[in-house]
Structures are given as C-alpha cells and as structure tokens.
Amino acid sequence: LQNGVKLTNEPPKGIRANLIRSFDNNIVSESSWEDCLKPMPWKKLLVGFSFFHALVQERRKFGALGWNIRYEFNDTDLETSVSVLKRFLDDQPTVPWDALLYVTGQINYGGR
C-alpha cells in the first residue's frame, strides 16, 4: 500500500469550475441533455441540481460551521439526483415537486 500509486478526485475550487465539471463529465452529457420526455422542466431542473451540487461542494471549505458534521459530498450524489429526476419526469404526468424535494434534499444530500 505504501509503495502503490494513490489517486484522489478532489472537487474543483469555485462554483463556476464545479458547474463546468458537472457538464463536462458524463453526469450531464450532450445526449442526456435531450433525453427526457419533458424537455423544458428537465433542462431547468438539471441546471438547478448542478448549481445546488456546486454550492454544497463549495460550502465544504467552511468545514462543520453551520452543520454538525463535515460530510464529503461527491459526484455520485449529483448522479443519483439526476437519475431520480429523470425517472420522476418520465413516469409522472406532472412534475412531482414534493417528491423531488424530499428525495433530493432529505435522502440524497441530507441523509448522511
């Protein structure tokens, strides 16, 4: 272990860099941008989720200030939220705001 190569995947510094990373990675790809049955709410909520994720990751630099415990939020939190968002939008006739708020805010990001 001590002679091995160690890699880390740190989030970029700054909200803008974090948003660019979200849209450059496979989290929000060109094909997924046009992949939903309800394109208008999908695109708006996708940008909103990416911005929220960037804010949460940028807020980490303040440590546990305001939060009881310091948590490591990573790209899988955003990936999970985006996949749930797509499933909700494709399966429901209207946007399920209460379910989205609960699943994303309380389970994916708040359930640590």
Side-chain angles (χ1 to χ4, degrees):
L1 182 62
Q2 279 133 17
N3 291 334
V5 177
K6 297 164 189 77
L7 296 173
T8 61
N9 189 9
E10 292 291 323
K13 302 258 187 234
I15 293 175
R16 182 173 190 246
N18 205 316
L19 282 171
I20 290 172
R21 179 180 172 183
S22 293
F23 283 93
D24 279 346
N25 285 349
N26 289 334
I27 299 169
V28 181
S29 63
E30 188 91 21
S31 62
S32 70
W33 183 252
E34 302 291 338
D35 196 26
C36 188
L37 299 176
K38 296 180 182 84
M40 188 60 79
W42 164 250
K43 291 177 182 179
K44 289 181 179 183
L45 287 168
L46 198 56
V47 170
F49 277 13
S50 299
F51 190 74
F52 175 72
H53 182 73
L55 283 175
V56 167
Q57 284 201 324
E58 186 65 21
R59 197 233 169 272
R60 285 183 354 173
K61 72 180 177 184
F62 297 107
L65 183 68
W67 286 341
N68 291 336
I69 302 170
R70 183 177 177 159
Y71 293 116
E72 296 295 325
F73 296 104
N74 52 31
D75 289 340
T76 57
D77 297 312
L78 180 60
E79 289 173 13
T80 305
S81 298
V82 167
S83 66
V84 167
L85 170 66
K86 183 174 180 342
R87 191 173 309 123
F88 278 168
L89 289 179
D90 285 345
D91 294 346
Q92 303 291 327
T94 61
V95 179
W97 295 110
D98 292 335
L100 271 175
L101 181 65
Y102 185 76
V103 169
T104 303
Q106 299 295 321
I107 295 174
N108 292 345
Y109 284 93
R112 302 270 178 149

